[in-house]
Amino acid sequence: MAIDAELLLDRRSLRRKLSFWRVLGIGALIVAAGALGWRAAGGGRFVAVTPQIARISIDGFISGSEKTRDLMKRVGESRAVSGVIVSINSPGGTTTGSEELFRNLRALAEKKPVVAFVDGTAASGAYITALAADHIVARETALVGSIGVLFQYPDLSGLLDKVGVRVEEVKSSPLKAEPSGFHPTSPEARAALQAIVGDTFSWFKTLVAERRRMTPEQLGAVADGRVFSGRQSVALKLVDETGGERQAVAWLEREKNVAKDLPVRDWKPRNEGRFDLFSAAALLGFGDASLRVASEEAAALARGGLLALWRPGTASPR
């Protein structure tokens, strides 16, 4: 009987321990789930209590975003952010999206010192982004430039002829809904499109000349659609110096009186952790980042947007 009593007491003690750890585990799960939900809802601002340099990453296809505008506003309003590094690795995107990003960064630069760091590629619209900074640092082997504008659309008329399909249309004037993929582009429509591209290209070049303080001769040497290495870009005045993020931080400390040895912390748009089909495909090895760029580019073309985009696979630079 004594043995049975001892066994009973041991079992009760074990049950109490198990109950304790179960409650503790469930509590930890609840806290973790709450923290994740709070962060997904944009509550990650607690980091702002620590003096810091904010890092804003611009990568992939640029198309404009309400979340990015909100991010710039939050960074600008944070009393703990002493300076901003805009880390860029992008082939560009739509001209309107790039313009929006440029203007948002200029608004941020009125509140905080901003330096751009080209950590890979800053071409076309991404170079417009870099122009918003007060100083540009690029890796020696980075790709910079591709100053130009592109408008692309498919001509499916030959294919439609082969399959015996004709698309009829009634429109108010010859240039309405041009260009169309259902028939070859008329000289008048091509001239109208060229005027739009030329006007946007002129805006791009003016932006470069003003922000980089270039003479017409200096601008002419870089505004032919080519990309340049980071090393070439210094002599061409496209960037200010070569180096890594450390050099970008050093400039903030040296020129903008940012305190030394501040931590550099990532600031991201709210709900950025959303997972989609293209992210899943890339993660599983069924595709890569070009899938996302292609899909976003197709969406931009469907909306009739101009592109400031560098595409490495094409026969001629953009």
Side-chain angles (χ1 to χ4, degrees):
M1 293 296 295
I3 296 177
D4 291 342
E6 289 178 1
L7 287 175
L8 184 59
L9 290 173
D10 287 342
R11 286 177 183 175
R12 287 179 178 175
S13 176
L14 181 59
R15 284 174 185 165
R16 283 196 295 271
K17 290 179 181 178
L18 287 174
S19 298
F20 170 78
W21 288 110
R22 283 172 182 165
V23 170
L24 185 62
I26 293 171
L29 286 173
I30 292 173
V31 171
L36 288 173
W38 177 70
R39 183 174 179 181
R45 287 174 287 178
F46 69 91
V47 296
V49 300
T50 304
Q52 63 192 260
I53 295 172
R55 182 194 294 117
I56 298 176
S57 297
I58 305 298
D59 51 26
F61 189 85
I62 297 172
S63 59
S65 168
E66 200 62 49
K67 293 179 181 178
T68 302
R69 182 162 56 247
D70 174 68
L71 170 64
M72 305 291 178
K73 183 179 179 182
R74 288 192 290 120
V75 172
E77 292 176 350
S78 172
R79 289 178 295 177
V81 173
S82 301
V84 181
I85 295 175
V86 183
S87 181
I88 304 171
N89 185 17
S90 166
T94 65
T95 52
T96 52
S98 302
E99 178 191 357
E100 179 188 7
L101 185 52
F102 171 84
R103 299 198 185 284
N104 288 334
L105 282 170
R106 285 310 303 155
L108 175 58
E110 293 177 359
K111 301 176 181 178
K112 310 286 183 181
V114 177
V115 59
F117 168 47
V118 183
D119 189 17
T121 301
S124 293
Y127 186 62
I128 293 174
T129 302
L131 290 173
D134 299 317
H135 190 77
I136 304 176
V137 180
R139 294 196 185 277
E140 292 188 7
T141 55
L143 296 176
V144 180
S146 187
I147 299 169
V149 181
L150 172 70
F151 192 101
Q152 277 186 329
Y153 53 93
D155 180 1
L156 304 175
S157 57
L159 175 63
L160 295 178
D161 287 341
K162 289 181 180 179
V163 298
V165 176
R166 280 187 67 184
V167 178
E168 299 287 351
E169 60 185 12
V170 178
K171 52 187 181 179
S172 57
S173 61
L175 295 181
K176 177 64 178 175
E178 290 293 337
S180 169
F182 300 133
H183 56 74
T185 306
S186 68
E188 295 80 11
R190 188 174 296 277
L193 292 172
Q194 186 62 56
I196 295 173
V197 170
D199 182 69
T200 307
F201 183 38
S202 177
W203 168 82
F204 194 167
K205 291 191 295 182
T206 300
L207 196 64
V208 175
E210 290 177 351
R211 294 295 299 163
R212 300 303 301 169
R213 298 181 176 86
M214 289 186 180
T215 65
E217 293 74 21
Q218 291 172 326
L219 180 63
V222 297
D224 59 359
R226 283 182 292 171
V227 290
F228 303 91
S229 71
R231 294 177 61 184
Q232 292 174 314
S233 297
V234 175
L236 294 170
K237 296 187 68 174
L238 290 171
V239 305
D240 296 293
E241 63 174 310
T242 57
E245 189 176 80
R246 181 60 250 174
Q247 280 66 42
V249 172
W251 181 83
L252 289 172
E253 295 172 346
R254 182 177 66 252
E255 301 295 334
K256 297 299 180 178
N257 297 318
V258 171
K260 291 184 178 296
D261 300 322
L262 290 182
V264 179
R265 292 184 169 169
D266 285 305
W267 282 65
K268 297 181 181 295
R270 290 169 173 165
N271 302 324
E272 191 189 63
R274 180 175 55 86
F275 214 56
D276 59 24
L277 177 62
F278 296 105
S279 300
L283 184 63
L284 295 173
F286 298 117
D288 56 25
S290 61
L291 286 172
R292 177 183 293 279
V293 171
S295 67
E296 292 173 328
E297 181 181 339
L301 291 174
R303 294 192 297 269
L306 293 177
L307 296 177
L309 180 71
W310 178 65
R311 191 180 295 106
T314 54
S316 60
R318 304 298 181 190

